[in-house]
Amino acid sequence: MWLALLLALWGSVVGFIAGRNQRPELVESARRATYALAGVLVVASLALIVALVKHDFNVSYVASYTSRNLPLVYTLSAFYGGQAGSMLFWAVVLATFGALAQWLTSRRYDDLLPYVAAVTSLVVLFFVATTLFAANPFVRLPFTPSDGGGLNPQLQNPGMVVHPPLLYLGYISVTIPFAFAVAALLSKRLDTGWLHAIRKWTIVSWLFLSIGITLGMWWAYVELGWGGYWAWDPVENASFLPWLTMTAFLHSVMIQEKRGMLKKWNMILIGLTFFLSIFGTFITRSGIISSVHSFAQSPIGNYFLFFLIFIVVATGVLIAKRMPMLEAESQLESMVSREATFLFNNLLLVGIAFSVLWGTMFPMISEMVRGTQVTVGPPFFNQVNIPIGLALLALTGIGPLIAWRRASPGHLKRQFAAPVTTGLIVAALLLAIGMRDFYAIMALSLAAFVVGTIMQEFIRGVGARNRLHGENYALAFARLVGRNRRRYGGYIVHLGIVMYFVAFTGQAFTTSIEASLKPGESVDLRSPWGYTYTFTHLGVSQYEELNRFTTAASVEVARDGERVGIMKSEKRQHVDSFGRASFEPSTEAGIRSDLREDIYIVYAGSVQGTEEAVYRFTLNPLVWWLWFGGAVLVAGGVVTLWPGATSGAERRRSMAGYAASITGKSSAAAAG
Amino acid sequence: MKPRTKFIAGAILVAGTVGFLMTSGIKETGVYFLTPSELASKIETDPTFYDVGVKMGARVVTGTIERDVASQTITFEVTDGQQTYPVVYRGLAPDTFTDDVDVVVEGRLMADGTFHATSLLAKCGSRYESVPSA
């Protein structure tokens, strides 16, 4: 680890010098330093993994997070389950990404790369230093306990094995585009070159963030047992914030590439995204804002605070100094243009980000200003963000329909006719079947409008190829997407986002009932779809498993009198290898999904000594669309990233992104 | 009007709307977050503070938790060392809710001095770490 510290220091110092005077041997040295750094940190990580697997409880980290009877997968996931380990995880992944960026980026960007090496090394330096001085996972205990404390049962879930590393990969990979942005500023090469160099990186890190957030929702849904997937908890917000600014960045770089506008804005956005991703790590790891996720207070908070201030000052000064070189090459020509919709999209995304940040920080702000803490909860976030989110959804549909620069009225009529009709038909249908919730109707009609837009784009594109090249429809479709991956991949991603919105709408119609039932007794619950579900309590059984003692309650479920099946919900008491109880008991909800709704059963416990059980039955409409939307989103992202057959340089760039996603995945797999 | 000025006007409109939504949102949904002794001093200076929605963060007093499973009601006491309030909560308690944990209860303090909670959040101070079995 000390070696890593020195290497990181060397890498950043040499990187800056090499960037400045471009001496080939220094450039090479900076490059080698990033490779060596990655190598050393990988060795350190392997050492920790070996300690975990071999149950070396003399290492305090191993003793606090694992136990002998913990399944192997979870033993490995303990690597990033604890604070010190997650710091090391950050450092090793970032070093690997940094090395990959050096290795895979085209030599055309040689004057940027030393600076990139310097910035990534500097960030790694911070994490290595924090690990060493404040949260070292290799600290040994003065004695060797015979068994460890075990991993929190709530973390013993497949979603939790992959969710934190993927979210971290998202956070971490944001550093690379940021490093390129800083490199462009330092080297004064402020054309669109750096944007091309990072295009794939930004999409990869955006995908990691999206997947990480979605898996986090999934974990909260199946494991925490409260029936929802998003509670506007500070930690959730922290993961959402960089996602928002990253999404804004993805859209606004297109304007810079096409029209040479928004250069300052893009710099600020990528700086903000990086800041927020470090801030997110800081919030999750420091417990500064009270949250159900909060971790033990620890000294790393100060390190982070210092680093965050450093980022703001350094980036701010740098952008300010280069301000004159970031003048726009062209002006906004019309309000009815693609640029304008993108600008509004950016405004709304940043607006959401600001309101979420404000709401998250509000208890602290109000304490400073007024002396008492005032908290805002989910109602605040929903009240603010539902309208903004809907406006954003509308723009998702409007954007692709409007031409660059300036759109003519005739063009607009032709473009909007079909999608708007689709939206109106859906609105009419919903009103006809008796839906009266304003936001729900808006959301679903707008969703239909966006789907209409996307379909129209695909149909027109396929039709044009069919006419011009005489290709059959299937071939035309494949070629259409193949020739313009970024555009059509983007549409597929939009489709996924629409599904998220559909799923969110379902939340407005959740119904639930709590009941205490003796065996054989039943309770009815009416679903928003008009069915009546009957839940019959069958009985409670108890049995031992590898590292836990399980109490399972079974329920027979019937829909309109027709048997659906038996569902089970569990209470688990985890035990250590001596059979003593460890941790509080945890709940395993029984979940059955279909396209319309989820049946969600929580067994809360039994009346002392009897088989009378207390349950909460919940019907969650449309939740399934969330997970499906996630899959569509990833598919769209992969289409965008898929190596194309345009030019050599283009291909190499594509490969860079693709390889990064592959190695990212396999390193996650290796770590998990 | 030039497109640029139009856009700036639009941007101001958007920012204004967001700002309005935020301030009204905080006004309508903001809730005081108090410790038991802060709540007690508020009540002393302003008796109308009974039956007003607040959040209270405190520690569960060991041995005071009573669960009535049939009516799904939980009663317990919370304290910050100086002031103690009895709490009544109807509903399912989270798994982490046990003796001596920090909880956040949302609800109203009634004139009889009991706190009627509508939501109960338990915070395991070291959620991702094991609790040393002391």
Side-chain angles (χ1 to χ4, degrees), chain A residues 152 155 292 333 373 375 587, chain B residues 3 31 33 72 95 127-129:
Chain A
N152 190 318
L155 300 185
V292 283
E333 285 175 34
Q373 283 198 23
T375 60
T587 306
Chain B
V31 177
F33 185 92
Q72 292 155 46
D95 291 330
R127 175 172 172 172
Y128 289 87
E129 288 163 42

Side-chain angles (χ1 to χ4, degrees), chain A residues 270-507:
Chain A
I270 192 68
L272 203 60
T273 307
F274 177 66
F275 172 81
L276 288 172
S277 74
I278 300 285
F279 181 72
T281 317
F282 170 58
I283 285 195
T284 37
R285 287 298 164 190
S286 71
I288 183 165
I289 295 170
S290 77
S291 139
V292 283
H293 285 252
S294 57
F295 300 77
Q297 288 284 350
S298 86
I300 66 162
N302 299 331
Y303 288 79
F304 267 93
L305 212 56
F306 172 75
F307 189 56
L308 285 171
I309 294 168
F310 174 74
I311 296 170
V312 173
V313 173
T315 316
V317 167
L318 198 57
I319 295 179
K321 278 183 84 169
R322 296 286 185 267
M323 217 46 154
M325 301 177 69
L326 291 168
E327 282 307 322
E329 287 155 29
S330 53
Q331 288 282 323
L332 190 65
E333 285 175 34
S334 159
M335 280 295 276
V336 191
S337 65
R338 178 104 31 116
E339 293 94 305
T341 59
F342 273 37
L343 281 172
F344 279 110
N345 139 309
N346 264 259
L347 267 177
L348 291 173
L349 283 167
V350 174
I352 295 177
F354 181 68
S355 69
V356 172
L357 184 66
W358 183 258
T360 311
M361 304 295 289
F362 196 73
M364 282 177 71
I365 298 169
S366 71
E367 175 146 47
M368 277 187 283
V369 177
R370 287 199 278 172
T372 41
Q373 283 198 23
V374 176
T375 60
V376 292
F380 166 77
F381 293 106
N382 290 336
Q383 197 176 331
V384 176
N385 287 321
I386 290 174
I388 312 181
L390 288 179
L392 198 59
L393 183 61
L395 282 183
T396 313
I398 297 170
L401 296 178
I402 296 186
W404 289 100
R405 298 169 76 98
R406 186 190 291 275
S408 69
H411 168 85
L412 287 179
K413 211 182 276 172
R414 205 166 53 246
Q415 288 283 64
F416 275 93
V420 169
T421 317
T422 322
L424 288 177
I425 290 174
V426 169
L429 277 177
L430 292 174
L431 281 171
I433 61 165
M435 194 188 276
R436 289 293 174 270
D437 186 314
F438 173 72
Y439 280 142
I441 294 173
M442 282 299 284
L444 293 176
S445 330
L446 285 173
F449 164 64
V450 178
V451 173
T453 300
I454 296 169
M455 287 304 151
Q456 176 173 290
E457 288 289 313
F458 274 104
I459 290 169
R460 290 215 176 133
V462 169
R465 285 199 77 86
N466 172 264
R467 275 195 309 279
L468 291 174
H469 304 278
E471 296 162 347
N472 70 38
Y473 288 109
L475 184 67
F477 179 78
R479 290 244 170 103
L480 178 75
V481 177
R483 293 282 152 83
N484 205 339
R485 294 196 172 79
R486 200 175 174 205
R487 178 164 171 196
Y488 291 98
Y491 288 153
I492 297 173
V493 171
H494 280 179
L495 212 53
I497 297 289
V498 168
M499 290 177 185
Y500 278 77
F501 272 94
V502 170
F504 296 155
T505 312
Q507 285 297 85

